[in-house]
Amino acid sequence: MEIVLIELLLWVGLIFFFWALRDGLSHVDAEAESQGGGGGIVSQNPVALCFDRPDKVSEPIGRYRDVPIYRYAVIGGKKYQFEHILPWESFSMLLPEERCLAPGLVYGRDEKAN
């Protein structure tokens, strides 16, 4: 009889756990919908819209996240030189004279170019 009581108690605990998990996830979904995410996991990074597109690139010097890194990039008719990789979380740390190409390659104004 004790074993049946223990098993029943474990089943009640498991049901309570799943109920609490479902309740917590519904709060996460509601919060995502209120922020415009449409619910669930947001598949597109909103910051990705801030990436610049180069007009021309030259001198490949490496790769990052399967994307080539070029020493120079012409963006908006101005020449920029590769400086560093920007951590994914810190897009707000770009300086006004810097440009960022996907997936986080930072290029600074090339002072030697006219």
Side-chain angles (χ1 to χ4, degrees):
M1 184 68 178
E2 280 184 25
I3 292 181
V4 173
L5 188 59
I6 291 173
E7 187 174 350
L8 183 62
L9 186 61
L10 288 173
W11 278 109
V12 169
L14 186 64
I15 290 170
F16 176 75
F17 171 75
F18 283 127
W19 175 79
L21 183 64
R22 182 188 59 117
D23 189 48
L25 289 177
S26 67
H27 287 298
V28 170
D29 282 343
E31 186 176 322
E33 285 178 11
S34 70
Q35 292 179 357
I41 297 173
V42 179
S43 62
Q44 184 180 16
N45 184 357
V47 179
L49 303 175
C50 299
F51 287 130
D52 294 297
R53 290 184 164 257
D55 303 328
K56 184 176 150 184
V57 292
S58 62
E59 292 187 46
I61 58 173
R63 295 186 75 75
Y64 174 67
R65 292 189 177 185
D66 292 330
V67 174
I69 300 172
Y70 296 96
R71 183 174 309 279
Y72 299 104
V74 176
I75 303 168
K78 298 178 182 174
K79 191 173 183 180
Y80 292 86
Q81 185 174 0
F82 176 75
E83 288 185 352
H84 59 90
I85 293 173
L86 190 66
W88 195 250
E89 308 83 33
S90 57
F91 281 94
S92 61
M93 296 176 63
L94 279 176
L95 299 174
E97 65 274 3
E98 292 179 329
R99 299 293 175 256
C100 187
L101 305 181
L105 308 174
V106 177
Y107 287 79
R109 191 82 166 97
D110 187 10
E111 299 301 324
K112 294 180 273 183
N114 292 345

PDB file of all heavy atoms in Angstrom, residues 49-78:
ATOM      1  N   LEU A  49      19.358  43.593 -40.301  1.00  0.00           N
ATOM      2  CA  LEU A  49      18.969  44.634 -41.231  1.00  0.00           C
ATOM      3  C   LEU A  49      19.957  45.788 -41.217  1.00  0.00           C
ATOM      4  O   LEU A  49      19.949  46.619 -42.106  1.00  0.00           O
ATOM      5  CB  LEU A  49      17.561  45.132 -40.883  1.00  0.00           C
ATOM      6  CG  LEU A  49      16.477  44.069 -40.873  1.00  0.00           C
ATOM      7  CD1 LEU A  49      15.163  44.663 -40.389  1.00  0.00           C
ATOM      8  CD2 LEU A  49      16.310  43.447 -42.234  1.00  0.00           C
ATOM      9  N   CYS A  50      20.817  45.874 -40.212  1.00  0.00           N
ATOM     10  CA  CYS A  50      21.780  46.962 -40.084  1.00  0.00           C
ATOM     11  C   CYS A  50      23.095  46.687 -40.799  1.00  0.00           C
ATOM     12  O   CYS A  50      23.964  47.544 -40.810  1.00  0.00           O
ATOM     13  CB  CYS A  50      22.066  47.229 -38.605  1.00  0.00           C
ATOM     14  SG  CYS A  50      20.609  47.732 -37.681  1.00  0.00           S
ATOM     15  N   PHE A  51      23.279  45.520 -41.366  1.00  0.00           N
ATOM     16  CA  PHE A  51      24.530  45.211 -42.042  1.00  0.00           C
ATOM     17  C   PHE A  51      24.652  46.036 -43.323  1.00  0.00           C
ATOM     18  O   PHE A  51      23.675  46.224 -44.055  1.00  0.00           O
ATOM     19  CB  PHE A  51      24.615  43.726 -42.399  1.00  0.00           C
ATOM     20  CG  PHE A  51      24.856  42.825 -41.213  1.00  0.00           C
ATOM     21  CD1 PHE A  51      24.053  41.729 -41.007  1.00  0.00           C
ATOM     22  CD2 PHE A  51      25.872  43.078 -40.322  1.00  0.00           C
ATOM     23  CE1 PHE A  51      24.268  40.885 -39.934  1.00  0.00           C
ATOM     24  CE2 PHE A  51      26.103  42.239 -39.239  1.00  0.00           C
ATOM     25  CZ  PHE A  51      25.295  41.151 -39.049  1.00  0.00           C
ATOM     26  N   ASP A  52      25.859  46.504 -43.577  1.00  0.00           N
ATOM     27  CA  ASP A  52      26.135  47.221 -44.817  1.00  0.00           C
ATOM     28  C   ASP A  52      26.430  46.227 -45.928  1.00  0.00           C
ATOM     29  O   ASP A  52      26.854  45.094 -45.661  1.00  0.00           O
ATOM     30  CB  ASP A  52      27.336  48.149 -44.616  1.00  0.00           C
ATOM     31  CG  ASP A  52      27.038  49.270 -43.639  1.00  0.00           C
ATOM     32  OD1 ASP A  52      26.157  50.088 -43.946  1.00  0.00           O
ATOM     33  OD2 ASP A  52      27.681  49.311 -42.576  1.00  0.00           O
ATOM     34  N   ARG A  53      26.226  46.668 -47.160  1.00  0.00           N
ATOM     35  CA  ARG A  53      26.535  45.825 -48.322  1.00  0.00           C
ATOM     36  C   ARG A  53      27.685  46.485 -49.085  1.00  0.00           C
ATOM     37  O   ARG A  53      27.576  47.650 -49.465  1.00  0.00           O
ATOM     38  CB  ARG A  53      25.324  45.685 -49.240  1.00  0.00           C
ATOM     39  CG  ARG A  53      24.233  44.866 -48.634  1.00  0.00           C
ATOM     40  CD  ARG A  53      23.110  44.683 -49.626  1.00  0.00           C
ATOM     41  NE  ARG A  53      22.266  43.616 -49.176  1.00  0.00           N
ATOM     42  CZ  ARG A  53      22.286  42.391 -49.687  1.00  0.00           C
ATOM     43  NH1 ARG A  53      23.098  42.094 -50.660  1.00  0.00           N
ATOM     44  NH2 ARG A  53      21.483  41.459 -49.210  1.00  0.00           N
ATOM     45  N   PRO A  54      28.753  45.744 -49.315  1.00  0.00           N
ATOM     46  CA  PRO A  54      29.881  46.346 -50.025  1.00  0.00           C
ATOM     47  C   PRO A  54      29.601  46.463 -51.527  1.00  0.00           C
ATOM     48  O   PRO A  54      28.936  45.627 -52.119  1.00  0.00           O
ATOM     49  CB  PRO A  54      31.019  45.357 -49.756  1.00  0.00           C
ATOM     50  CG  PRO A  54      30.338  44.050 -49.553  1.00  0.00           C
ATOM     51  CD  PRO A  54      29.022  44.364 -48.905  1.00  0.00           C
ATOM     52  N   ASP A  55      30.118  47.550 -52.110  1.00  0.00           N
ATOM     53  CA  ASP A  55      30.056  47.711 -53.562  1.00  0.00           C
ATOM     54  C   ASP A  55      31.128  46.845 -54.213  1.00  0.00           C
ATOM     55  O   ASP A  55      30.927  46.284 -55.288  1.00  0.00           O
ATOM     56  CB  ASP A  55      30.290  49.171 -53.956  1.00  0.00           C
ATOM     57  CG  ASP A  55      29.291  50.114 -53.290  1.00  0.00           C
ATOM     58  OD1 ASP A  55      28.139  49.700 -53.065  1.00  0.00           O
ATOM     59  OD2 ASP A  55      29.681  51.260 -52.981  1.00  0.00           O
ATOM     60  N   LYS A  56      32.264  46.745 -53.515  1.00  0.00           N
ATOM     61  CA  LYS A  56      33.414  46.018 -54.056  1.00  0.00           C
ATOM     62  C   LYS A  56      34.273  45.557 -52.883  1.00  0.00           C
ATOM     63  O   LYS A  56      34.359  46.253 -51.870  1.00  0.00           O
ATOM     64  CB  LYS A  56      34.206  46.969 -54.966  1.00  0.00           C
ATOM     65  CG  LYS A  56      35.372  46.375 -55.673  1.00  0.00           C
ATOM     66  CD  LYS A  56      35.973  47.435 -56.590  1.00  0.00           C
ATOM     67  CE  LYS A  56      37.449  47.189 -56.746  1.00  0.00           C
ATOM     68  NZ  LYS A  56      38.106  48.220 -57.542  1.00  0.00           N
ATOM     69  N   VAL A  57      34.894  44.391 -53.000  1.00  0.00           N
ATOM     70  CA  VAL A  57      35.800  43.872 -51.972  1.00  0.00           C
ATOM     71  C   VAL A  57      37.093  43.428 -52.637  1.00  0.00           C
ATOM     72  O   VAL A  57      37.108  43.104 -53.830  1.00  0.00           O
ATOM     73  CB  VAL A  57      35.171  42.699 -51.181  1.00  0.00           C
ATOM     74  CG1 VAL A  57      34.014  43.178 -50.326  1.00  0.00           C
ATOM     75  CG2 VAL A  57      34.727  41.596 -52.100  1.00  0.00           C
ATOM     76  N   SER A  58      38.188  43.421 -51.858  1.00  0.00           N
ATOM     77  CA  SER A  58      39.464  42.963 -52.411  1.00  0.00           C
ATOM     78  C   SER A  58      40.356  42.409 -51.311  1.00  0.00           C
ATOM     79  O   SER A  58      40.196  42.741 -50.141  1.00  0.00           O
ATOM     80  CB  SER A  58      40.175  44.113 -53.134  1.00  0.00           C
ATOM     81  OG  SER A  58      40.467  45.155 -52.240  1.00  0.00           O
ATOM     82  N   GLU A  59      41.299  41.599 -51.709  1.00  0.00           N
ATOM     83  CA  GLU A  59      42.303  40.961 -50.858  1.00  0.00           C
ATOM     84  C   GLU A  59      41.704  40.105 -49.747  1.00  0.00           C
ATOM     85  O   GLU A  59      41.646  40.530 -48.600  1.00  0.00           O
ATOM     86  CB  GLU A  59      43.238  42.003 -50.235  1.00  0.00           C
ATOM     87  CG  GLU A  59      44.146  42.699 -51.200  1.00  0.00           C
ATOM     88  CD  GLU A  59      45.146  43.581 -50.467  1.00  0.00           C
ATOM     89  OE1 GLU A  59      45.735  43.112 -49.468  1.00  0.00           O
ATOM     90  OE2 GLU A  59      45.321  44.722 -50.903  1.00  0.00           O
ATOM     91  N   PRO A  60      41.270  38.889 -50.056  1.00  0.00           N
ATOM     92  CA  PRO A  60      40.790  38.007 -48.985  1.00  0.00           C
ATOM     93  C   PRO A  60      41.910  37.692 -47.999  1.00  0.00           C
ATOM     94  O   PRO A  60      43.024  37.380 -48.408  1.00  0.00           O
ATOM     95  CB  PRO A  60      40.311  36.761 -49.712  1.00  0.00           C
ATOM     96  CG  PRO A  60      40.836  36.850 -51.091  1.00  0.00           C
ATOM     97  CD  PRO A  60      41.225  38.260 -51.359  1.00  0.00           C
ATOM     98  N   ILE A  61      41.603  37.800 -46.705  1.00  0.00           N
ATOM     99  CA  ILE A  61      42.635  37.558 -45.686  1.00  0.00           C
ATOM    100  C   ILE A  61      42.238  36.485 -44.685  1.00  0.00           C
ATOM    101  O   ILE A  61      43.018  36.145 -43.805  1.00  0.00           O
ATOM    102  CB  ILE A  61      42.992  38.861 -44.928  1.00  0.00           C
ATOM    103  CG1 ILE A  61      41.746  39.465 -44.273  1.00  0.00           C
ATOM    104  CG2 ILE A  61      43.673  39.853 -45.854  1.00  0.00           C
ATOM    105  CD1 ILE A  61      42.037  40.649 -43.363  1.00  0.00           C
ATOM    106  N   GLY A  62      41.048  35.960 -44.793  1.00  0.00           N
ATOM    107  CA  GLY A  62      40.626  34.923 -43.856  1.00  0.00           C
ATOM    108  C   GLY A  62      39.147  34.627 -43.986  1.00  0.00           C
ATOM    109  O   GLY A  62      38.491  35.062 -44.931  1.00  0.00           O
ATOM    110  N   ARG A  63      38.631  33.880 -42.992  1.00  0.00           N
ATOM    111  CA  ARG A  63      37.215  33.514 -42.979  1.00  0.00           C
ATOM    112  C   ARG A  63      36.691  33.620 -41.551  1.00  0.00           C
ATOM    113  O   ARG A  63      37.417  33.405 -40.591  1.00  0.00           O
ATOM    114  CB  ARG A  63      37.007  32.089 -43.478  1.00  0.00           C
ATOM    115  CG  ARG A  63      37.376  31.909 -44.940  1.00  0.00           C
ATOM    116  CD  ARG A  63      37.015  30.533 -45.451  1.00  0.00           C
ATOM    117  NE  ARG A  63      35.591  30.339 -45.689  1.00  0.00           N
ATOM    118  CZ  ARG A  63      34.912  30.835 -46.708  1.00  0.00           C
ATOM    119  NH1 ARG A  63      35.510  31.602 -47.581  1.00  0.00           N
ATOM    120  NH2 ARG A  63      33.633  30.579 -46.861  1.00  0.00           N
ATOM    121  N   TYR A  64      35.405  33.947 -41.456  1.00  0.00           N
ATOM    122  CA  TYR A  64      34.720  33.982 -40.168  1.00  0.00           C
ATOM    123  C   TYR A  64      33.295  33.513 -40.409  1.00  0.00           C
ATOM    124  O   TYR A  64      32.592  34.064 -41.260  1.00  0.00           O
ATOM    125  CB  TYR A  64      34.724  35.403 -39.582  1.00  0.00           C
ATOM    126  CG  TYR A  64      33.924  35.550 -38.318  1.00  0.00           C
ATOM    127  CD1 TYR A  64      34.325  34.926 -37.149  1.00  0.00           C
ATOM    128  CD2 TYR A  64      32.769  36.311 -38.292  1.00  0.00           C
ATOM    129  CE1 TYR A  64      33.595  35.057 -35.979  1.00  0.00           C
ATOM    130  CE2 TYR A  64      32.032  36.452 -37.123  1.00  0.00           C
ATOM    131  CZ  TYR A  64      32.453  35.820 -35.975  1.00  0.00           C
ATOM    132  OH  TYR A  64      31.723  35.955 -34.814  1.00  0.00           O
ATOM    133  N   ARG A  65      32.886  32.461 -39.679  1.00  0.00           N
ATOM    134  CA  ARG A  65      31.553  31.862 -39.851  1.00  0.00           C
ATOM    135  C   ARG A  65      31.282  31.530 -41.309  1.00  0.00           C
ATOM    136  O   ARG A  65      30.231  31.841 -41.855  1.00  0.00           O
ATOM    137  CB  ARG A  65      30.467  32.778 -39.298  1.00  0.00           C
ATOM    138  CG  ARG A  65      30.506  32.928 -37.801  1.00  0.00           C
ATOM    139  CD  ARG A  65      29.293  33.651 -37.317  1.00  0.00           C
ATOM    140  NE  ARG A  65      29.308  33.730 -35.866  1.00  0.00           N
ATOM    141  CZ  ARG A  65      28.337  34.219 -35.149  1.00  0.00           C
ATOM    142  NH1 ARG A  65      27.261  34.671 -35.713  1.00  0.00           N
ATOM    143  NH2 ARG A  65      28.422  34.260 -33.837  1.00  0.00           N
ATOM    144  N   ASP A  66      32.249  30.939 -41.968  1.00  0.00           N
ATOM    145  CA  ASP A  66      32.164  30.526 -43.369  1.00  0.00           C
ATOM    146  C   ASP A  66      31.937  31.686 -44.333  1.00  0.00           C
ATOM    147  O   ASP A  66      31.425  31.496 -45.429  1.00  0.00           O
ATOM    148  CB  ASP A  66      31.079  29.455 -43.565  1.00  0.00           C
ATOM    149  CG  ASP A  66      31.449  28.146 -42.893  1.00  0.00           C
ATOM    150  OD1 ASP A  66      32.655  27.856 -42.804  1.00  0.00           O
ATOM    151  OD2 ASP A  66      30.537  27.423 -42.454  1.00  0.00           O
ATOM    152  N   VAL A  67      32.304  32.886 -43.932  1.00  0.00           N
ATOM    153  CA  VAL A  67      32.207  34.056 -44.795  1.00  0.00           C
ATOM    154  C   VAL A  67      33.616  34.610 -44.969  1.00  0.00           C
ATOM    155  O   VAL A  67      34.353  34.754 -43.989  1.00  0.00           O
ATOM    156  CB  VAL A  67      31.287  35.128 -44.157  1.00  0.00           C
ATOM    157  CG1 VAL A  67      31.292  36.405 -44.975  1.00  0.00           C
ATOM    158  CG2 VAL A  67      29.883  34.591 -44.002  1.00  0.00           C
ATOM    159  N   PRO A  68      34.020  34.934 -46.202  1.00  0.00           N
ATOM    160  CA  PRO A  68      35.369  35.476 -46.390  1.00  0.00           C
ATOM    161  C   PRO A  68      35.523  36.860 -45.770  1.00  0.00           C
ATOM    162  O   PRO A  68      34.601  37.673 -45.780  1.00  0.00           O
ATOM    163  CB  PRO A  68      35.537  35.541 -47.909  1.00  0.00           C
ATOM    164  CG  PRO A  68      34.194  35.363 -48.493  1.00  0.00           C
ATOM    165  CD  PRO A  68      33.308  34.757 -47.459  1.00  0.00           C
ATOM    166  N   ILE A  69      36.708  37.098 -45.220  1.00  0.00           N
ATOM    167  CA  ILE A  69      37.069  38.413 -44.697  1.00  0.00           C
ATOM    168  C   ILE A  69      37.990  39.045 -45.728  1.00  0.00           C
ATOM    169  O   ILE A  69      38.979  38.433 -46.134  1.00  0.00           O
ATOM    170  CB  ILE A  69      37.801  38.302 -43.345  1.00  0.00           C
ATOM    171  CG1 ILE A  69      36.920  37.605 -42.308  1.00  0.00           C
ATOM    172  CG2 ILE A  69      38.226  39.680 -42.857  1.00  0.00           C
ATOM    173  CD1 ILE A  69      37.654  37.296 -41.011  1.00  0.00           C
ATOM    174  N   TYR A  70      37.663  40.240 -46.149  1.00  0.00           N
ATOM    175  CA  TYR A  70      38.485  40.957 -47.119  1.00  0.00           C
ATOM    176  C   TYR A  70      39.196  42.108 -46.427  1.00  0.00           C
ATOM    177  O   TYR A  70      38.658  42.743 -45.514  1.00  0.00           O
ATOM    178  CB  TYR A  70      37.610  41.493 -48.256  1.00  0.00           C
ATOM    179  CG  TYR A  70      36.957  40.404 -49.059  1.00  0.00           C
ATOM    180  CD1 TYR A  70      35.669  39.989 -48.795  1.00  0.00           C
ATOM    181  CD2 TYR A  70      37.662  39.760 -50.073  1.00  0.00           C
ATOM    182  CE1 TYR A  70      35.079  38.975 -49.523  1.00  0.00           C
ATOM    183  CE2 TYR A  70      37.082  38.744 -50.809  1.00  0.00           C
ATOM    184  CZ  TYR A  70      35.781  38.354 -50.534  1.00  0.00           C
ATOM    185  OH  TYR A  70      35.206  37.344 -51.251  1.00  0.00           O
ATOM    186  N   ARG A  71      40.416  42.393 -46.885  1.00  0.00           N
ATOM    187  CA  ARG A  71      41.186  43.490 -46.290  1.00  0.00           C
ATOM    188  C   ARG A  71      40.504  44.830 -46.572  1.00  0.00           C
ATOM    189  O   ARG A  71      40.425  45.699 -45.715  1.00  0.00           O
ATOM    190  CB  ARG A  71      42.615  43.511 -46.830  1.00  0.00           C
ATOM    191  CG  ARG A  71      43.465  44.602 -46.186  1.00  0.00           C
ATOM    192  CD  ARG A  71      44.928  44.549 -46.600  1.00  0.00           C
ATOM    193  NE  ARG A  71      45.527  43.245 -46.436  1.00  0.00           N
ATOM    194  CZ  ARG A  71      45.996  42.728 -45.288  1.00  0.00           C
ATOM    195  NH1 ARG A  71      45.916  43.438 -44.185  1.00  0.00           N
ATOM    196  NH2 ARG A  71      46.540  41.537 -45.242  1.00  0.00           N
ATOM    197  N   TYR A  72      39.996  45.003 -47.793  1.00  0.00           N
ATOM    198  CA  TYR A  72      39.363  46.259 -48.172  1.00  0.00           C
ATOM    199  C   TYR A  72      37.949  46.020 -48.681  1.00  0.00           C
ATOM    200  O   TYR A  72      37.670  45.010 -49.315  1.00  0.00           O
ATOM    201  CB  TYR A  72      40.166  46.971 -49.269  1.00  0.00           C
ATOM    202  CG  TYR A  72      41.565  47.319 -48.838  1.00  0.00           C
ATOM    203  CD1 TYR A  72      42.648  46.575 -49.279  1.00  0.00           C
ATOM    204  CD2 TYR A  72      41.805  48.398 -47.987  1.00  0.00           C
ATOM    205  CE1 TYR A  72      43.940  46.886 -48.880  1.00  0.00           C
ATOM    206  CE2 TYR A  72      43.088  48.709 -47.580  1.00  0.00           C
ATOM    207  CZ  TYR A  72      44.149  47.953 -48.031  1.00  0.00           C
ATOM    208  OH  TYR A  72      45.411  48.256 -47.626  1.00  0.00           O
ATOM    209  N   ALA A  73      37.086  46.991 -48.410  1.00  0.00           N
ATOM    210  CA  ALA A  73      35.719  46.966 -48.927  1.00  0.00           C
ATOM    211  C   ALA A  73      35.323  48.394 -49.285  1.00  0.00           C
ATOM    212  O   ALA A  73      35.614  49.333 -48.548  1.00  0.00           O
ATOM    213  CB  ALA A  73      34.751  46.411 -47.887  1.00  0.00           C
ATOM    214  N   VAL A  74      34.693  48.537 -50.430  1.00  0.00           N
ATOM    215  CA  VAL A  74      34.165  49.834 -50.832  1.00  0.00           C
ATOM    216  C   VAL A  74      32.675  49.816 -50.511  1.00  0.00           C
ATOM    217  O   VAL A  74      31.931  48.966 -50.999  1.00  0.00           O
ATOM    218  CB  VAL A  74      34.409  50.101 -52.336  1.00  0.00           C
ATOM    219  CG1 VAL A  74      33.775  51.411 -52.749  1.00  0.00           C
ATOM    220  CG2 VAL A  74      35.890  50.080 -52.639  1.00  0.00           C
ATOM    221  N   ILE A  75      32.260  50.745 -49.654  1.00  0.00           N
ATOM    222  CA  ILE A  75      30.870  50.823 -49.208  1.00  0.00           C
ATOM    223  C   ILE A  75      30.398  52.251 -49.439  1.00  0.00           C
ATOM    224  O   ILE A  75      30.974  53.191 -48.891  1.00  0.00           O
ATOM    225  CB  ILE A  75      30.732  50.447 -47.717  1.00  0.00           C
ATOM    226  CG1 ILE A  75      31.301  49.050 -47.463  1.00  0.00           C
ATOM    227  CG2 ILE A  75      29.277  50.533 -47.275  1.00  0.00           C
ATOM    228  CD1 ILE A  75      31.468  48.692 -45.998  1.00  0.00           C
ATOM    229  N   GLY A  76      29.382  52.405 -50.240  1.00  0.00           N
ATOM    230  CA  GLY A  76      28.861  53.741 -50.537  1.00  0.00           C
ATOM    231  C   GLY A  76      29.879  54.628 -51.219  1.00  0.00           C
ATOM    232  O   GLY A  76      29.916  55.832 -50.989  1.00  0.00           O
ATOM    233  N   GLY A  77      30.761  54.040 -52.027  1.00  0.00           N
ATOM    234  CA  GLY A  77      31.770  54.801 -52.746  1.00  0.00           C
ATOM    235  C   GLY A  77      32.987  55.173 -51.918  1.00  0.00           C
ATOM    236  O   GLY A  77      33.893  55.838 -52.419  1.00  0.00           O
ATOM    237  N   LYS A  78      33.048  54.762 -50.664  1.00  0.00           N
ATOM    238  CA  LYS A  78      34.193  55.062 -49.802  1.00  0.00           C
ATOM    239  C   LYS A  78      34.923  53.778 -49.463  1.00  0.00           C
ATOM    240  O   LYS A  78      34.318  52.735 -49.266  1.00  0.00           O
ATOM    241  CB  LYS A  78      33.724  55.753 -48.516  1.00  0.00           C
ATOM    242  CG  LYS A  78      33.056  57.081 -48.770  1.00  0.00           C
ATOM    243  CD  LYS A  78      32.579  57.690 -47.479  1.00  0.00           C
ATOM    244  CE  LYS A  78      31.858  58.998 -47.786  1.00  0.00           C
ATOM    245  NZ  LYS A  78      31.247  59.566 -46.589  1.00  0.00           N
TER     246      LYS A  78
END
